[in-house]
Amino acid sequence: MRRRTRTSAVLCLTTFAALLLSATPASAAELPTGARSLESVNFPGRYVRHQDYLGRLDAVTSGSTAQVKSDATFTVVNGLASPSCYSFQARNGQFLRHLDWRVRLETNTGDATFRADATFCAVAGSVAGSVALAPVNHPDRRVRHRNFELWVDVAQDTATFRADSSFRLTAPWTPKTTRGPVIPGLFADPHITNINGRYYLYPTTDGYAGWASPYYKAFSSTDLVNWTDHGVILNHGPDVSWADNSAWAPAVVAKNGRYYLYFSGGAASGDTGKHLGVAVSDSPTGPFRDALGRPLIRAGAYSGQAIDPMVFTDDTGQSYLYWGNGTAYVVPLNADMVSFDPAEVRDITPVGYREASFVFKRNGTYYFMWSENDTRDEDYRVAYATGTSPLGPWTKRGVVLQKRLDLGIKGPGHHSVVKAPGSDTWHVAYHRFAVPAGNGANREVAVDRMTFDANGLINPIVPTP
Ligand code: FUB
């Protein structure tokens, strides 16, 4: 009975995913992500903007008010329903979506309907360099202007319709003035690492109710500012037989000339909790394949959820797997990186521990860091301890990253740490409620400096907006 329920739920999800996939227009175009404005092709000087939460096409000039310019500026981001399409986030944090065929601005609820209604696939527009936007769930329609209002109408094969539905992406009327987020859109739980001199970022894809996203993307950078999107590197649906959703908190480590991605996932039935798995690839940007065909740690094998894996490799070459939610565990990994001796698992839970263990070593001292409170709570924060071995014992040193309401920063946590090669320069990647108007399921990724005092203790981390 249980099996049948799970099977039909899987079928439902698979059908929806297949629908979304087949809905993606064939002549897909790629858009640059980041801040942009969208200018009409047949009414140059008029731009997509929102007014009273409705989409319009209005004139914007250098003399327009700051509000008008801001209302005509969007961040092109990863599609909320499909990574091969796009969503458009306004400066107030809301997204363009269609409802009753009118384009409007609303807050992302994270449910499947909203995400689909707010995801548009880019296809070639009427003139070179322009694009048309097809709703991912209605590929026969296009975003078009009619009486200078934005509607989602059935595409017509006429020159007028093609022009009314074509836009040029231009420089934004209101340029970005903040450092964050470092990757446009909704992502969380960033795992940052440096492989052969290049920085890689592996986040959870966010914006899904219940953190239900099924896939991971990889990003890379040489300067921690400009990031290249390498696309989807592992998708629970097709790639992992035992997980369908909840693609949470990946961590990648290089070893033996290969790349190992540790991750968590849940089954569509939702009745078995989260399992922890490991995938392998010959490249840090994947594609990754499930290494075992089964979880490395099954839900329920240890108390707390089997989530938030992280691997630290000591100077001896020995790698250790850390994970946990409520309880923090560590175990030495076998040389194959995909197995361990269960008898070696240790509980290293510090006071205040919630999840997101991260371990690194500096000047002979081991640092064990973690997140406290709930990721939906603005008091989500990062604390740490120091120790003399990867297994402890640990001495708690306190909280180093927490909310800064004066800067509009809430819930900074689930971080990771990276050292610039050949230096003593350290950075921390973490997520926080998206600024503005985010919450515990609409989070963004930031990167800031992490410094130490003369005694090797971590100075309070100053989050930049
Ligand atoms: O993103 C899903 C979950 O939220 C992570 O596994 C936790 O660490 C928390 O950030």
Side-chain angles (χ1 to χ4, degrees):
M1 183 58 194
R2 216 176 188 180
R3 179 73 213 164
R4 201 175 317 133
T5 313
R6 180 175 191 271
T7 307
S8 54
V10 170
L11 273 177
C12 254
L13 270 183
T14 313
T15 311
F16 182 64
L19 262 176
L20 280 186
L21 229 57
S22 64
T24 306
S27 59
E30 279 204 14
L31 299 185
T33 55
R36 295 285 184 281
S37 290
L38 289 88
E39 186 179 21
S40 163
V41 155
N42 52 354
F43 286 89
R46 283 187 178 256
Y47 292 79
V48 170
R49 74 170 286 209
H50 59 92
Q51 189 178 31
D52 298 331
Y53 303 100
L54 290 173
R56 297 186 45 78
L57 194 72
D58 282 340
V60 186
T61 67
S62 52
S64 296
T65 64
Q67 186 64 54
V68 166
K69 289 178 182 169
S70 169
D71 292 348
T73 301
F74 297 88
T75 307
V76 183
V77 301
N78 195 49
L80 288 173
S82 165
S84 53
C85 300
Y86 304 91
S87 294
F88 297 83
Q89 192 172 22
R91 279 293 150 95
N92 68 357
Q94 294 184 314
F95 290 85
L96 287 181
R97 62 94 53 111
H98 64 87
L99 182 67
D100 299 332
W101 309 126
R102 185 80 201 266
V103 176
R104 56 192 80 225
L105 201 65
E106 286 185 3
T107 300
N108 177 33
T109 60
D111 68 71
T113 302
F114 183 94
R115 287 185 292 100
D117 289 350
T119 299
F120 302 91
C121 303
V123 295
S126 62
V127 295
S130 71
V131 292
L133 300 173
V136 72
N137 50 358
H138 293 280
D140 56 324
R141 292 177 177 257
R142 299 286 181 273
V143 173
R144 64 89 61 106
H145 61 85
R146 198 174 356 117
N147 301 325
F148 301 123
E149 297 172 345
L150 290 182
W151 294 83
V152 164
D153 284 348
V154 175
Q156 299 160 27
D157 194 15
T158 66
T160 304
F161 186 92
R162 281 196 299 273
D164 287 350
S165 57
S166 294
F167 305 92
R168 283 194 178 88
L169 264 65
T170 68
W173 274 108
T174 306
K176 184 173 182 258
T177 53
T178 58
R179 269 170 52 102
V182 293
I183 44 178
L186 303 176
F187 294 96
D189 311 324
H191 181 84
I192 196 166
T193 188
N194 191 292
I195 299 173
N196 298 329
R198 192 168 179 88
Y199 294 100
Y200 291 86
L201 200 50
Y202 303 92
T204 297
T205 306
D206 222 22
Y208 286 65
W211 310 287
S213 165
Y215 67 88
Y216 306 101
K217 295 181 105 173
F219 299 83
S220 74
S221 171
T222 53
D223 59 8
L224 296 172
V225 176
N226 301 293
W227 292 88
T228 302
D229 182 342
H230 295 283
V232 175
I233 55 168
L234 185 75
N235 187 341
H236 283 185
D239 303 337
V240 183
S241 61
W242 47 267
D244 305 299
N245 52 44
S246 308
W248 292 359
V252 170
V253 62
K255 191 83 182 273
N256 310 329
R258 312 188 83 185
Y259 302 90
Y260 295 87
L261 184 157
Y262 299 82
F263 62 100
S264 302
S269 64
D271 58 359
T272 50
K274 307 290 176 279
H275 308 289
L276 193 156
V278 54
V280 64
S281 174
D282 293 327
S283 160
T285 54
F288 284 84
R289 63 171 177 77
D290 183 11
L292 299 171
R294 59 174 167 76
L296 172 60
I297 300 173
R298 288 193 181 278
Y302 302 90
S303 72
Q305 297 198 74
I307 64 169
D308 294 1
M310 183 266 159
V311 170
F312 165 72
T313 302
D314 206 353
D315 303 332
T316 58
Q318 174 65 53
S319 296
Y320 298 83
L321 172 67
Y322 300 79
W323 80 95
N325 170 271
T327 309
Y329 296 103
V330 57
V331 68
L333 280 168
N334 291 336
D336 63 9
M337 298 296 277
V338 299
S339 64
F340 60 79
D341 178 356
E344 296 289 317
V345 173
R346 285 196 198 188
D347 177 340
I348 53 165
T349 312
V351 172
Y353 179 87
R354 178 62 175 246
E355 59 201 8
S357 299
F358 193 91
V359 171
F360 66 95
K361 186 179 185 181
R362 177 180 180 266
N363 295 340
T365 298
Y366 296 83
Y367 294 76
F368 169 30
M369 306 181 79
W370 62 87
S371 294
E372 300 189 341
N373 300 320
D374 189 300
T375 191
R376 292 163 291 193
D377 181 343
E378 70 176 40
D379 286 317
Y380 197 57
R381 62 192 187 191
V382 176
Y384 81 107
T386 54
T388 50
S389 91
L391 305 172
W394 303 106
T395 304
K396 184 168 179 178
R397 302 293 183 180
V399 171
V400 284
L401 174 63
Q402 57 193 311
K403 69 181 176 187
R404 282 288 302 268
L405 297 183
D406 53 323
L407 301 174
I409 293 171
K410 297 177 181 174
H414 198 125
H415 76 303
S416 53
V417 168
V418 70
K419 181 167 90 91
S423 77
D424 191 29
T425 301
W426 297 77
H427 284 90
V428 57
Y430 60 97
H431 73 234
R432 55 202 191 191
F433 290 12
V435 181
N439 55 36
N442 286 272
R443 300 167 292 181
E444 67 178 27
V445 169
V447 175
D448 279 305
R449 277 293 298 276
M450 190 174 89
T451 59
F452 300 82
D453 71 13
N455 296 317
L457 297 180
I458 302 175
N459 292 316
I461 296 164
V462 182
T464 45

